[in-house]
């Protein structure tokens, strides 16, 4: 079974630039999550999708972050414009359903904003 | 507000001995707890979990203990192996999955 795929693995941008991350969840997983992990901290949920609908985006900084999950499969997370404090690893995870505790994580995208 | 706390950033243990990783939480509404393991440059992988209706769950060398009155859980690894060296995160959830609240992580180093 293929795992959660993410790209790119690494990205360096200057502040005020834009960046987008892509995630392909495990086949058949209805629920998709984006987490932000700042160095020295645990992952923090940014947004949760159930199929292509948003379940929870309470911690997504909506003035600069946006996410979509078209057709209920792949998802993209965008930051526009980036700030220095956005430097982090962005993790995508998926699970069978919204009531599934076990989430499967991708390798993450390490973003550095200079 | 840090609802899930792992107060030890690092732990070093000798191979073959027991590793004990601790986690404290503040929200009494949490009803499910998980431990994840993370190697460098990889995403976290699920290790073991426990429901709030239990006080112990065991899976091979890994055992998780839950003390609800103290709002404390711990992960025991016996015997510890060098391959167990990783960052361990505890996480908590309310009401049936979905959003996980993670602790800061504890880096375990198992020395041969």
């Amino acid at each position: 079974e293929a795992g959660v795929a993410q790209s790119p693995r690494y990205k360096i941008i200057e502040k005020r630039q834009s960046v987008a991350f892509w995630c392909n969840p495990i086949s058949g997983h209805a629920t998709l999550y984006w987490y932000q992990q700042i160095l020295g901290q645990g992952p923090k949920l940014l947004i949760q999708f159930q199929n292509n609908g948003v379940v929870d985006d309470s911690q997504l900084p909506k003035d600069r972050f946006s996410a979509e999950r078209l057709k209920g499969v792949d998802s993209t997370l965008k930051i526009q414009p980036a700030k220095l404090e956005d430097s982090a690893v962005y993790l995508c995870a998926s699970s069978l359903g919204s009531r599934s505790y076990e989430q499967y994580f991708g390798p993450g995208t390490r973003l550095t904003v200079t | 507000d840090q609802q899930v706390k792992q107060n030890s950033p690092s732990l070093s243990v000798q191979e073959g001995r027991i590793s004990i990783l601790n986690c404290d939480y503040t929200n009494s509404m949490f009803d499910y707890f998980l431990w994840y393991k993370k190697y460098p440059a990889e995403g976290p992988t699920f290790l073991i979990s426990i429901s709030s209706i239990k006080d112990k769950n065991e899976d091979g060398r890994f055992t998780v203990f839950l003390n609800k009155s103290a709002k404390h859980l711990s992960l025991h690894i016996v015997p510890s192996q060098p391959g167990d060296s990783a960052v361990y995160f505890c996480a908590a959830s309310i009401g049936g999955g979905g959003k996980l609240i993670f602790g800061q992580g504890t880096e375990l180093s198992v020395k041969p």
Side-chain angles (χ1 to χ4, degrees), chain A residues 21-89:
Chain A
F21 313 126
W22 173 82
C23 172
N24 181 243
I26 292 173
S27 177
H29 280 195
T31 308
L32 185 146
Y33 312 82
W34 283 102
Y35 288 86
Q36 179 192 58
Q37 185 181 8
I38 293 172
L39 186 65
Q41 299 180 20
K44 181 184 83 172
L45 180 70
L46 292 176
I47 189 167
Q48 175 186 347
F49 290 96
Q50 176 71 17
N51 295 308
N52 60 351
V54 175
V55 175
D56 184 344
D57 64 356
S58 57
Q59 297 195 90
L60 186 74
K62 298 180 186 63
D63 58 335
R64 298 184 301 107
F65 286 64
S66 65
E68 60 181 8
R69 189 183 185 198
L70 300 177
K71 300 180 182 178
V73 182
D74 293 6
S75 177
T76 55
L77 176 70
K78 297 179 182 178
I79 308 175
Q80 180 179 10
K83 292 185 175 181
L84 295 176
E85 59 260 37
D86 298 332
S87 294
V89 175

Side-chain angles (χ1 to χ4, degrees), chain B residues 14 19 49 53 61 66-67 76 91:
Chain B
Q14 207 69 29
S19 294
S49 63
I53 63 173
R61 297 186 296 115
L66 176 63
N67 182 334
H76 292 210

Side-chain angles (χ1 to χ4, degrees), chain B residues 42 45 80 94 102 106:
Chain B
E42 295 182 13
T45 55
S80 301
I94 299 173
F102 283 85
T106 296

Side-chain angles (χ1 to χ4, degrees), chain B residues 62-76:
Chain B
F62 302 91
T63 303
V64 56
F65 295 92
L66 176 63
N67 182 334
K68 290 188 291 294
S69 60
K71 293 190 177 68
H72 177 83
L73 65 156
S74 61
L75 174 68
H76 292 210

Side-chain angles (χ1 to χ4, degrees), chain B residues 31-45:
Chain B
D31 59 2
Y32 206 82
F33 304 88
L34 306 90
W35 284 93
Y36 279 81
K37 175 179 178 180
K38 185 182 184 303
Y39 292 118
E42 295 182 13
T45 55

